[in-house]
């Protein structure tokens, strides 16, 4: 029996791409190592950079949450509570800091609190509206693009993880991932006059708790014994707060307070409601559900730098975006006209369907998120719905 010789690995046998030189020039400056181990100066530079990368990722990838948080903060400072509606009876103007609003439709906006159970939202006829969760996730449309198709209707909004009884009919049912939902509605002028429209809105909008076993539940279902007969509670009239000509802000900040705003949202919502990768970036900079967010002086400076560069990125994507074959939202090569929903749709993953003479033809999912489109869109705009990018005549906003 012979013993097989074993060759010892020498430095010359190690592939060059595995070796870390003693000095490397990078965008962080010179990084130094001793036998591959980083020096204390290099460790500090790299750790600061990692915190900066995570903070910049939060600014870019979580902007949709910050945008809704800015909405809710603006509403509260304006005096509106959950289940109130701010209405712009004499249209919106530049007094209100509001992304992508116009001055020729009547807006009505607010939040609905689902923490105590399902809520009903009764919509006005001939509206164009959307209900999104507090991370700008689409919940349901109302009005022309919604299941009521502009006739007005009852929308039953379910909180996260709701597993209680549901009505047999009479409601358009939708479940939210978050404890609150954002209502964004607008209605069209009548002969260039907002007054008749405002009357219709105020007459029809109602917001009230859902009563299991009440309206929408048949006697047949009650006889099955799974739900008890319910008596509807009195409906409290919605409080409408006039917004026209009044100043308040619904736009996220571009400085370090952006991260404070996101922390408020994370603390307000249940765990697990949003993308774990984005929540991981939030956790990496100290924003964790149930924990205080107290960045030290070093981290505050990093957050300020990340906000400044994040803001610059949002403006660059909107003023001079860099199109790629996978993510080019210009109308044509070199065009300054664009729509971020062209490539990934309202979910930023699947191209909007083609509307042809032969019908609507959906496209398959791409399997990847169009991240530049998503950030560019939420930096510029508010509210998201498939109705925003569908070319359906008579339905509403493309």
């Amino acid at each position: 029996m012979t013993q097989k010789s074993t060759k010892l690995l020498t430095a010359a046998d190690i592939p060059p791409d595995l070796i870390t030189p003693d000095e490397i020039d990078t965008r962080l400056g010179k990084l130094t190592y001793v036998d591959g181990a980083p020096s204390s100066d290099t460790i500090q530079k790299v750790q600061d950079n990692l915190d900066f990368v995570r903070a910049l990722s939060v600014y870019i990838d979580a902007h949709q949450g910050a945008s809704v948080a800015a909405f809710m903060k603006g509403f509260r400072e304006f005096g509106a509570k959950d289940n109130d509606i701010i209405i712009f009876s004499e249209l919106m103007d530049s007094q209100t800091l509001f992304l992508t609003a116009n001055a020729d439709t009547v807006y009505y906006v607010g939040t609905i609190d689902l923490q105590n159970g399902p809520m009903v939202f009764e919509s006005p006829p001939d509206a164009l509206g959307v209900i999104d969760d507090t991370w700008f996730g689409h919940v349901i449309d109302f009005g022309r693009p919604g299941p009521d198709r502009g006739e007005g209707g009852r929308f039953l909004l379910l909180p996260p993880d709701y597993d209680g009884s549901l009505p047999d009919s009479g409601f358009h049912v939708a479940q939210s991932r978050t404890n609150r939902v954002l209502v964004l509605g607008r209605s069209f002028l009548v002969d260039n006059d907002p007054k008749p429209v405002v009357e219709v809105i105020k007459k029809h909008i109602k917001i009230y708790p859902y009563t299991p076993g009440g309206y929408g539940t048949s006697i047949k279902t009650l006889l099955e014994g799974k739900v008890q007969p319910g008596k509807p509670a009195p409906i409290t009239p919605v409080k409408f707060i006039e917004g026209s000509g009044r100043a308040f802000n619904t736009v996220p900040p571009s400085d370090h307070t952006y991260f404070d705003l996101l922390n408020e949202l994370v603390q307000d919502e249940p765990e697990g409601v949003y993308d774990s990768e984005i929540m991981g970036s939030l956790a990496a900079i100290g924003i964790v559900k149930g924990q205080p967010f107290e960045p030290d002086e070093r981290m505050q400076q990093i957050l300020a730098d990340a906000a400044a560069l994040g803001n610059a990125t949002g403006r660059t994507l909107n003023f001079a975006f860099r199109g790629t074959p996978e993510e080019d939202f210009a109308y044509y090569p070199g065009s300054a006209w664009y729509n971020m929903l062209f490539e990934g749709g309202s979910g930023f993953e699947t191209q909007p369907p083609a509307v042809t003479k032969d019908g609507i033809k959906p496209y398959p999912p791409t399997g990847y998120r169009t991240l530049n489109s998503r950030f560019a869109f939420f930096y510029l705009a508010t509210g998201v719905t498939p109705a925003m990018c569908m070319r359906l005549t008579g339905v509403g906003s493309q």
Side-chain angles (χ1 to χ4, degrees):
M1 184 174 182
T2 60
Q3 186 173 4
K4 197 172 182 179
S5 62
T6 302
K7 180 183 177 183
L8 295 177
L9 189 66
T10 67
D13 297 319
I14 300 176
D17 57 359
L18 298 185
I19 297 174
T20 300
D22 291 339
E23 292 185 357
I24 303 176
D25 288 323
T26 72
R27 66 173 57 195
L28 304 181
K30 184 174 291 186
L31 305 182
T32 58
Y33 301 83
V34 178
D35 294 332
S39 66
S40 58
D41 179 66
T42 292
I43 289 172
Q44 187 64 58
K45 287 179 180 178
V46 171
Q47 288 180 342
D48 287 349
N49 182 66
L50 183 58
D51 288 337
F52 173 79
V53 168
R54 299 303 184 202
L56 181 60
S57 174
V58 165
Y59 195 98
I60 290 174
D61 293 333
H63 206 83
Q64 55 272 38
S67 187
V68 180
F71 256 110
M72 295 192 295
K73 182 179 180 181
F75 292 170
R76 291 193 300 269
E77 292 178 349
F78 190 66
K81 300 177 181 179
D82 288 328
N83 308 328
D84 293 341
I85 293 292
I86 300 174
I87 187 168
F88 294 83
S89 300
E90 298 180 9
L91 307 181
M92 197 179 293
D93 59 28
S94 58
Q95 292 294 312
T96 305
L97 300 180
F98 200 106
L99 295 174
T100 56
N102 61 54
D104 54 11
T105 55
V106 176
Y107 279 92
Y108 38 100
V109 296
T111 57
I112 298 177
D113 185 2
L114 307 178
Q115 293 183 87
N116 295 320
M119 295 288 289
V120 177
F121 170 73
E122 294 192 14
S123 67
D126 203 27
L128 182 68
V130 60
I131 296 174
D132 285 338
D133 67 27
T134 55
W135 281 91
F136 264 141
H138 180 250
V139 176
I140 195 169
D141 294 314
F142 64 90
R144 293 184 183 184
D148 62 304
R149 299 304 295 272
E151 298 296 323
R154 292 184 175 93
F155 290 79
L156 177 56
L157 306 172
L158 309 179
D161 301 324
Y162 178 77
D163 59 0
S165 63
L166 294 173
D168 299 320
S169 64
F171 295 90
H172 307 296
V173 182
Q175 187 159 34
S176 171
R177 298 176 304 173
T178 58
N179 284 330
R180 286 178 173 81
V181 293
L182 180 67
V183 177
L184 296 169
R186 52 180 169 161
S187 293
F188 305 95
L189 307 185
V190 177
D191 296 326
N192 290 322
D193 186 359
K195 292 181 181 178
V197 181
V198 171
E199 292 177 2
V200 170
I201 293 169
K202 290 185 174 181
K203 176 182 177 181
H204 286 88
I205 287 186
K206 297 180 177 64
I207 300 172
Y208 53 89
Y210 168 68
T211 303
Y215 174 84
T217 303
S218 67
I219 298 300
K220 175 180 179 298
T221 297
L222 293 176
L223 294 177
E224 294 174 355
K226 296 179 181 178
V227 57
Q228 298 301 311
K231 183 178 180 181
I235 298 177
T236 303
V238 170
K239 180 181 178 181
F240 288 93
I241 301 174
E242 183 55 54
S244 293
R246 299 180 62 187
F248 67 102
N249 177 37
T250 67
V251 181
S254 298
D255 61 11
H256 66 92
T257 60
Y258 170 94
F259 299 97
D260 297 321
L261 194 63
L262 266 177
N263 180 60
E264 292 178 14
L265 181 63
V266 169
Q267 302 306 327
D268 190 55
E269 292 294 350
E271 289 181 305
V273 302
Y274 204 58
D275 182 276
S276 59
E277 289 287 334
I278 293 178
M279 299 308 292
S281 293
L282 285 160
I285 62 171
I287 298 178
V288 179
K289 173 77 172 180
Q291 298 183 19
F293 177 52
E294 299 173 340
D296 58 20
E297 185 175 348
R298 179 193 71 91
M299 195 63 188
Q300 288 178 11
Q301 183 58 55
I302 289 173
L303 295 177
D305 290 345
L309 190 55
N311 179 55
T313 304
R315 289 179 178 271
T316 298
L317 287 173
N318 277 282
F319 283 94
F321 70 92
R322 181 182 62 187
T324 67
E326 294 76 24
E327 190 172 359
D328 187 352
F329 40 84
Y331 272 74
Y332 52 84
S335 173
W337 294 94
Y338 56 87
N339 186 329
M340 302 83 154
L341 305 180
F342 278 174
E343 295 301 321
S346 59
F348 304 95
E349 185 181 359
T350 303
Q351 185 177 349
V355 180
T356 72
K357 295 179 180 179
D358 300 321
I360 297 175
K361 297 183 178 181
Y363 293 100
T366 60
Y368 59 84
R369 192 84 65 194
T370 54
L371 298 178
N372 289 344
S373 300
R374 183 178 67 183
F375 178 45
F377 180 83
F378 286 116
Y379 184 86
L380 170 77
T382 57
V384 68
T385 162
M388 283 182 170
C389 51
M390 287 299 296
R391 301 174 179 87
L392 294 176
T393 303
V395 171
S397 103
Q398 175 181 316

